[in-house]
Amino acid sequence: MERNPMRRQLAIMRQSLFDQGHVDEQFVQLEELQDDANPNFVEEVVTLYYRDSARIILNIEQALERKPFDFRKLDAYMHQFKGSSSSIGAKKVKAESTLFREYCKSGNGEGCMRSFQQLKKEYATLRKKLGAYFQLARQAGPVETASRPK
Amino acid sequence: MRVERVISDENDSFPVGMRVLAVDDDPTCLLLLETLLTKCKYNVTTTSQAITALKMLRENKNKFDLVISDVHMPDMDGFKLLELVGLEMDLPVIMLSANGDTKLVMKGITHGACDYLLKPVRIEELQNIWQHVIRRKKFDRKDQDGSGSQDKPYIDSSEAAGLGNVDQNGKFNKKRKDQNEDEDEERDENGHDNEDLSTQKKPRVVWSVELHRKFVAAVNQLGVEKAVPKKILELMNVENLTRENVASHLQKFRLYLKRISCVANQQANMAAALGSVDSTHLRMGTMNGLGNFHTLAGPDQIHNAAFRSFQHSGVLRRLNTPAGVGISGLPSSGLVQLSPVQNLGNTSTYQRKLQSFVIPGNHNANILQGMPMSLEFDQLQNNRAASHVGQFPSVDNTTVLPVSSISGSLIDAGCSNSPLLGVTSNSLLLEGSSQLPTLHASNLRDSVSGFPNRSTLSDFTSIAPASNQLHGSKADIQDQAFPISCNAGKIISSAPQDWNAPKKDAPYQSNVPSCSINSLRAVNGDMAQLGQCLDQNNPIFNRNVGFDFVDPLSIKCSEGENLAMEPSVIEKEGYLMVQPSRQGIYIPDNEGENFAMEPSVIEKEGYLIVQPRRQGSYIPGNLGSLEDLASAMTKQDHDKGKPTDGDFGYNDYSLRTCI
């Protein structure tokens, strides 16, 4: 049935997310929390994450426009961002945030800027991948409802 | 069916249905947490605001079994919330953070957290959190059992009541009761059960402001070091209070003091100039801890340790601690404002207390007067001191109000700023402090407002942080103080801390005192102590007052910025500690000399280091009054405002807050 191929594809996609280091163990935790009562949990959380973190990203961007850099503030924002990112298991994004914070702590403005650019890239990449993943997941449909092909 | 299930599961089903309140400003984490907790079969309530959480908790003390809170939150520091909850509701609180720094974890511990989890949280970790609830209940129970009779009826009734749904009468022992309640909860009975139990004999003793005040008074009388539950119990002479209750409360109180002292130390360092703080500390001396302060005061700052102990008792008082406290903007300083100034209403009673308090010693008024209290206050300082008690020179708010009357007077005095900011309301002793610029009394108030008007808070809150300076800080302090305010109210009296607040900066001055107060409140349990302290402040306050109650807190302030420096520290410590964030405010006890810094330097530290958390909600500023006073005082004396202690001032600040 179609579902199978779709599901297979979904599984491959999922695996690559892990293999490429975009997500980590925490993502699995999210998946485990998804059940009948909460069928779209993972997607919900990720959506919420992107919505909320966009705000933080904006704040950081604005803060980076003000010179001299207020490292404390930047660090605080990033701390927040890191917290949410780690909650959804965004591995690369989280790693980049850690790096950013290191730069903040050492007062390295250049490093901060660079790291932030990199972080935004990772963040966008992850978003795209997860978006595609969820879309496919929705199409593939919940396992239980697998029935006649569309 | 439910009942049956309950009965049979009674033993097994807990922690099913355990009521958890989750607080985190990050929506992603909050959603995740909620889902995880639900998966563990707990009954979850979430909120992204600490203030809302507090409100919910206060509405019905028995509505929740456990609180999980993030550390970094915009409206209130997680630690402050932690303190408040611990003090007021005596619920187990688990901290949550993405940052697992040892220092932070330590902080969590000192503030009374029963656990510290790292984000991202895993379900396995959450599956075991119910142990904290049981442990606590057990402990409470034990205390209760100690009292014997109290428990018995309770048990029976509770069981019946609790079980209400369950039908488990008699079956459940208290512990079960809780569990049952939990279960009931699921059934929506919880609240009900809890209520019943409450009426019967709550397993948990609620440390009201009054009670805490008595406690603090007793502790002060005995001396912090020497205070033993048995004697305290005797002195307190309260019915239905068991030795165990007192023991656990004392433990919390000591922790609080310690915390404050640490903060105070920091502040002290900052305040260095506060010098005077020492003397003020002495005042607090009664608190034993405070007394130590003297010793502490001398040296740099309130040594945390010393102060801490004092602080507890004194801390509340200290709240005002001056300078630090007053520090405008007291950073978080604990200046707990004893009850937001707003609460003034409450404070009235408190104030009375304070007044009496204050006056005793030479009152504080003297002190205050003498004290350069809050530099900011300038005006205050001079005069008033004792008489002020109510007077809180509205100096900016932060008047460090001579602790004694501060709160009361503050309010009465109409200190506009409520010298203790919060304190005033609380009785933050802004007394006489010649108007120590109670920390933003207004700030405090505002901050305080954050706090439910627990009377205590109001008491504290105002520690009117050095008005001027403290304003800023005060606000924080107030918040902070607020927590303490509960108790702080009383503390505020001690707030004379502000005196210390070096005038110079007095910014924080009063804050400190207030801070403590807040913390007091916050810490609920502990706060009670603090609050008591505050009340005690009278005695302590007096003590301080006499001495320049420069309130460590205020003293700190003197450093003007010293306090400020610690804002972070104070902030953290904020709670209770009236952080003389403003360092300057710390009117170093007038340089010590004035205040006779009582040995209880504690005052400095001791005060409830009402951390004038900025939080605004707390009126950490309260310290203002003390702080103000302190700062004013210090100002006079010190130009620097650096309390003699300098550090101490700062530290004192924290201590002072305790007033």
Side-chain angles (χ1 to χ4, degrees), chain B residues 298-312:
Chain B
D300 185 60
Q301 330 313 316
I302 315 213
H303 315 306
N304 312 336
F307 283 104
R308 290 295 177 85
S309 39
F310 291 123
Q311 305 206 333
H312 253 316

Side-chain angles (χ1 to χ4, degrees), chain B residues 264 266-277 280 301 320-331 333 335 371-378 381 398 400 436-437 439-440 464-471 473-474 477 496-513 549-567 570 578-591 595 604 612 623-624 626-654 656:
Chain B
Q266 293 180 345
Q267 305 205 350
N269 294 317
M270 310 228 329
L274 295 181
S276 45
V277 171
T280 39
Q301 330 313 316
N320 288 323
T321 42
V325 176
I327 315 192
S328 34
L330 291 187
S333 338
L335 291 182
M371 301 216 292
M373 299 253 250
S374 35
L375 314 181
E376 311 268 289
F377 300 163
D378 326 12
Q381 310 181 351
T398 40
V400 174
L436 289 185
L439 269 180
H440 324 292
S467 45
N468 307 318
Q469 322 208 351
L470 295 185
H471 294 306
S473 33
K474 298 215 209 134
I477 304 200
Q497 306 177 347
D498 285 284
W499 312 326
N500 295 320
K503 305 318 198 37
K504 32 181 3 174
D505 291 301
Y508 191 72
Q509 310 170 339
S510 6
N511 298 327
V512 174
F549 197 54
V550 176
D551 265 317
L553 293 178
S554 41
I555 306 204
K556 296 307 209 93
C557 299
S558 46
E559 293 322 67
E561 285 324 309
N562 293 332
L563 294 179
M565 58 170 265
E566 280 302 328
I570 306 198
V578 177
Q579 300 233 1
S581 5
R582 280 346 179 136
Q583 321 188 1
I585 312 233
Y586 223 54
I587 300 197
D589 292 309
N590 282 262
E591 326 338 309
F595 303 105
K604 291 218 214 149
L623 295 187
L626 283 182
E627 300 283 330
D628 293 332
L629 290 175
S631 35
M633 299 188 25
T634 42
K635 243 199 239 187
Q636 294 180 350
D637 291 7
H638 297 287
D639 194 14
K640 288 247 323 183
K642 290 258 184 153
T644 49
D645 277 320
D647 268 304
F648 195 75
Y650 215 51
N651 289 333
D652 288 321
Y653 184 72
S654 27
R656 296 301 183 75

Side-chain angles (χ1 to χ4, degrees), chain B residues 297-529:
Chain B
D300 185 60
Q301 330 313 316
I302 315 213
H303 315 306
N304 312 336
F307 283 104
R308 290 295 177 85
S309 39
F310 291 123
Q311 305 206 333
H312 253 316
S313 34
V315 171
L316 290 182
R317 304 293 190 114
R318 290 303 186 132
L319 294 184
N320 288 323
T321 42
V325 176
I327 315 192
S328 34
L330 291 187
S332 54
S333 338
L335 291 182
V336 171
Q337 295 219 339
L338 293 181
S339 51
V341 178
Q342 309 189 359
N343 289 320
L344 298 179
N346 297 319
T347 48
S348 46
T349 12
Y350 203 71
Q351 295 177 348
R352 303 258 159 62
K353 291 198 191 173
L354 291 177
Q355 308 225 339
S356 44
F357 202 78
V358 169
I359 314 229
N362 0 196
H363 306 302
N364 305 316
N366 299 326
I367 306 208
L368 292 180
Q369 295 183 352
M371 301 216 292
M373 299 253 250
S374 35
L375 314 181
E376 311 268 289
F377 300 163
D378 326 12
Q379 322 163 0
L380 298 178
Q381 310 181 351
N382 313 292
N383 14 313
R384 331 272 228 61
S387 36
H388 280 308
V389 174
Q391 310 209 0
F392 276 143
S394 2
V395 182
D396 297 35
N397 346 304
T398 40
T399 32
V400 174
L401 302 185
V403 182
S404 31
S405 18
I406 307 200
S407 338
S409 18
L410 288 181
I411 310 208
D412 298 321
C415 304
S416 40
N417 295 302
S418 57
L420 279 193
L421 287 192
V423 173
T424 28
S425 8
N426 295 321
S427 48
L428 281 183
L429 316 206
L430 294 185
E431 336 194 279
S433 41
S434 17
Q435 321 259 322
L436 289 185
T438 36
L439 269 180
H440 324 292
S442 42
N443 295 335
L444 285 175
R445 273 208 258 190
D446 297 331
S447 340
V448 172
S449 40
F451 270 73
N453 304 279
R454 297 256 326 188
S455 42
T456 44
L457 281 179
S458 32
D459 294 338
F460 294 73
T461 45
S462 343
I463 304 223
S467 45
N468 307 318
Q469 322 208 351
L470 295 185
H471 294 306
S473 33
K474 298 215 209 134
D476 293 337
I477 304 200
Q478 301 200 337
D479 291 337
Q480 317 233 330
F482 198 79
I484 307 203
S485 325
C486 300
N487 298 317
K490 325 223 206 132
I491 304 195
I492 308 225
S493 333
S494 10
Q497 306 177 347
D498 285 284
W499 312 326
N500 295 320
K503 305 318 198 37
K504 32 181 3 174
D505 291 301
Y508 191 72
Q509 310 170 339
S510 6
N511 298 327
V512 174
S514 336
C515 296
S516 358
I517 308 211
N518 287 332
S519 359
L520 291 181
R521 266 310 196 115
V523 194
N524 204 12
D526 293 323
M527 299 289 299
Q529 298 178 343

